[in-house]
Amino acid sequence: PSRNVRILATDMSAAALAIAQRAAYSTQKVQKIPQAFLDKYFTYRDELYYAVDTVKQPITFRQFNLINLSASSVPIYDLIFCRNVLIYFDYAAQFTLLRGILHQLRPRGFLCLGDAESVHTFPDISKMLELHETHDALIYQKRGEPS
């Protein structure tokens, strides 16, 4: 079945975005990816694995500082990865950032945080989420009915 998948990849660093857009990975970086996926979604040349165009095509790269996240628009994301980002902010900034992220996340959408991050210290935010435990990440699902 055909799916309308669009991915917005953001970072405040132009250098980090340039690396991400290149989509080239060392053997060490892809070692946990099953060989069948490597064969299907990557090409190997010059000792690097490159993501194929069908993987890269739905991705838009944008330089963006999460502190500027506006809570004024309607929820538009089904899935948000914000792994190992909150750890760089103080408590107040974490709260503001999480509130903005949740405003952007559709009901029943998923928020993926790093294993060192949690929402449990924010009671108002944690009430809005259901935790799904994994071995190396925290995945939260926003409560509510999908729109």
Side-chain angles (χ1 to χ4, degrees):
S2 177
R3 292 190 175 104
N4 182 13
V5 174
R6 292 172 305 168
I7 300 167
L8 175 61
T10 65
D11 200 295
M12 62 185 293
S13 164
L17 287 171
I19 291 168
Q21 283 180 288
R22 186 169 178 236
Y25 306 94
S26 68
T27 303
Q28 180 184 5
K29 292 283 186 188
V30 300
Q31 67 185 354
K32 292 183 180 180
I33 298 175
Q35 190 61 48
F37 288 145
L38 287 175
D39 294 343
K40 184 173 183 177
Y41 299 113
F42 295 85
T43 57
Y44 184 76
R45 68 177 186 279
D46 303 326
E47 299 185 24
L48 292 173
Y49 285 90
Y50 292 87
V52 297
D53 287 342
T54 55
V55 170
K56 296 187 298 184
Q57 187 274 330
I59 304 172
T60 300
F61 294 88
R62 185 175 303 148
Q63 192 169 4
F64 184 73
N65 186 336
L66 287 173
I67 293 298
N68 299 326
L69 185 64
S70 170
S72 63
S73 62
V74 297
I76 56 172
Y77 296 106
D78 297 309
L79 172 64
I80 297 175
F81 288 92
C82 192
R83 291 178 50 94
N84 304 318
V85 173
L86 294 176
I87 58 175
Y88 294 102
F89 295 97
D90 65 24
Y91 184 85
Q94 288 177 359
F95 178 75
T96 301
L97 180 57
L98 283 168
R99 195 176 56 208
I101 287 171
L102 287 180
H103 187 78
Q104 297 290 316
L105 188 64
R106 286 190 174 113
R108 308 300 301 152
F110 293 92
L111 170 62
C112 301
L113 299 178
D115 58 356
E117 299 167 312
S118 173
V119 300
H120 77 276
T121 57
F122 305 99
D124 290 344
I125 289 175
S126 61
K127 282 191 289 192
M128 299 170 64
L129 299 167
E130 178 181 343
L131 175 63
H132 298 273
E133 294 187 44
T134 69
H135 68 281
D136 65 351
L138 297 174
I139 301 173
Y140 295 94
Q141 187 170 25
K142 187 175 179 182
R143 297 181 193 278
E145 295 299 318
S147 47

